[in-house]
Amino acid sequence: RAKANGRNRFHFYNPQLDREQLERVALENALFHALQHGEFELHYQPQVDIRTGRIDGAEALIRWNRPGHSLVSPGCFIPLAEECGLIGDIGNWVLEEACAQMQRWQREGIRLRVSVNLSALQLEDPGFCDRVAQILERHTLEPDQLELELTESLLMKHVDATVDLLRQLDRMGVHLSIDDFGTGYSSLSYLKRFPLDKLKIDQSFVREISIDQDDAVICRTIISMAENLNLKVTAEGVEQTEQLALLAEFGCHQYQGFLFSRPVPAPELAQLYRQSQTETEPAWEI
Ligand code: C2E
Ligand code: MG
Ligand code: MG
Ligand code: MG
């Protein structure tokens, strides 16, 4: 018995497949089905300007509402989608949906920059840049409303081809940031080669920033290096006021984390945005 999975792939029943492999195949088939049946949704986590306490961006994070199942985390199904070749279609859906949402917000008077996570394989699509341009145009958005999050390993993969592509995106006006900064294997020289706008300090350095001196030094160093390179810095995974106070002291520009809000559905993000615009004081005090 063969079951279609993706465009050119078939999985044949083989009694030697072990349980794990069978579960994988089932999950891959479910992913394919999910894309066709609209089971994906984007949630948005506010990105907050540390100085003003106001929301000035949002990160789009994919969610899979799998009928009859509890939430499957993207940390689990994104790597699988990368392996089985579905990430291209899923990634396109994410870009499309994030831009459609920005346009809806814009009509409600909410102008937010939205960041979208990219997988390495998406950059291997030679038409990627044109696709981004078309999506932006179709939704009447300015390119600088879109931010693309890249990882260090993605940047290090095909350096020359990637530099060209990112330069094209940069010339168009799209913002580029490095996600999970500090965790990848990389050389710092790429910070000069790529036209970046922002570094996102990985949450593993933020978690113990107020109790571990080394983490505090790492955060402080990333922030001052970014400052000198003319890059913005966002701290990820901020859960406590003490963490935020230190990041503010170090001169960090922006943060996101459960302290302000978890990733939420689009209507809730709009509500949080309006609230944060009317509040006069930052949501935190040192
Ligand atoms: P990421 O891009 O680094 O996203 C940050 C993750 O940290 C999110 O997990 C978010 O919910 C979580 N987070 C935010 N604030 C806090 C906090 O204060 N404490 C803690 N402990 N966690 C926090 P999520 O949504 O499960 O996503 C996991 C990863 O999956 C993302 O990491 C990203 O690498 C990937 N991902 C998510 N959506 C997409 C997508 O649309 N495309 C691609 N290619 N990858 C995606
Ligand atoms: Mg991210
Ligand atoms: Mg730029
Ligand atoms: Mg991250």
Side-chain angles (χ1 to χ4, degrees):
R1 205 160 75 96
K3 213 173 187 186
N5 174 60
R7 263 184 220 116
N8 306 310
R9 296 184 43 142
F10 293 87
H11 287 282
F12 294 95
Y13 177 72
N14 171 349
Q16 277 163 0
L17 282 180
D18 60 25
R19 234 180 82 91
E20 218 173 277
Q21 279 173 302
L22 281 172
E23 276 170 16
R24 244 179 95 89
V25 171
L27 204 57
E28 285 181 10
N29 285 325
L31 267 179
F32 182 64
H33 180 276
L35 195 57
Q36 302 196 308
H37 292 81
E39 292 172 13
F40 292 120
E41 185 188 354
L42 292 183
H43 282 192
Y44 297 87
Q45 184 171 44
Q47 299 179 318
V48 184
D49 180 319
I50 293 192
R51 214 172 35 79
T52 64
R54 291 183 178 175
I55 296 177
D56 66 348
E59 178 175 4
L61 293 155
I62 194 168
R63 298 291 177 257
W64 181 8
N65 302 312
R66 194 179 173 196
H69 290 259
S70 51
L71 197 82
V72 196
S73 98
C76 160
F77 71 81
I78 290 290
L80 192 66
E82 287 170 346
E83 284 167 42
C84 73
L86 272 177
I87 195 63
D89 291 340
I90 293 180
N92 288 339
W93 178 85
V94 171
L95 265 174
E96 192 70 53
E97 176 57 26
C99 289
Q101 185 57 57
M102 270 194 272
Q103 188 180 32
R104 290 192 283 269
W105 277 331
Q106 195 146 289
R107 289 185 180 137
E108 298 173 38
I110 297 174
R111 198 189 149 107
L112 270 179
R113 178 176 299 136
V114 170
S115 25
V116 166
N117 293 283
L118 286 193
S119 289
L121 284 169
Q122 290 179 265
L123 292 187
E124 286 173 28
D125 170 4
F128 183 75
C129 212
D130 290 339
R131 182 190 303 281
V132 170
Q134 279 165 17
I135 295 178
L136 287 167
E137 204 179 292
R138 187 145 31 80
H139 295 285
T140 57
L141 297 167
E142 296 298 325
D144 73 352
Q145 288 178 262
L146 179 66
E147 181 166 306
L148 299 175
E149 296 194 5
L150 317 150
T151 59
E152 289 162 290
S153 54
L154 179 155
L155 292 181
M156 299 323 286
K157 220 172 162 200
H158 307 285
V159 177
D160 293 327
T162 309
V163 169
D164 290 342
L165 177 61
L166 297 187
R167 286 199 179 132
Q168 258 179 288
L169 287 164
D170 177 56
R171 272 199 302 273
M172 206 196 294
V174 171
H175 281 224
L176 302 169
S177 62
I178 303 208
D179 204 357
D180 308 333
F181 183 73
T183 60
Y185 167 79
S186 64
S187 90
L188 289 177
S189 65
Y190 75 87
L191 291 177
K192 270 176 44 185
R193 292 196 58 192
F194 295 106
L196 304 167
D197 295 283
K198 185 197 272 185
L199 304 180
K200 297 186 71 178
I201 304 180
D202 188 66
Q203 50 189 58
S204 62
F205 303 119
V206 173
R207 195 171 301 129
E208 303 198 324
I209 189 174
S210 51
I211 50 177
D212 184 326
Q213 191 57 35
D214 293 341
D215 285 334
V217 168
I218 289 170
C219 288
R220 191 199 286 272
T221 306
I222 293 174
I223 292 163
S224 74
M225 178 182 70
E227 191 85 10
N228 290 319
L229 292 169
N230 245 322
L231 298 171
K232 277 191 75 176
V233 186
T234 300
E236 295 191 88
V238 177
E239 297 182 356
Q240 300 154 0
T241 352
E242 301 79 53
Q243 296 166 334
L244 181 56
L246 274 175
L247 289 162
E249 186 190 316
F250 297 163
C252 186
H253 307 106
Q254 197 184 47
Y255 79 100
Q256 55 185 107
F258 297 166
L259 176 65
F260 191 91
S261 169
R262 288 177 177 267
V264 293
E268 274 177 62
L269 195 278
Q271 231 173 333
L272 287 170
Y273 175 83
R274 292 204 177 90
Q275 270 169 26
S276 95
Q277 288 304 104
T278 54
E279 270 159 18
T280 45
E281 293 295 313
W284 55 276
E285 297 290 346
I286 297 178

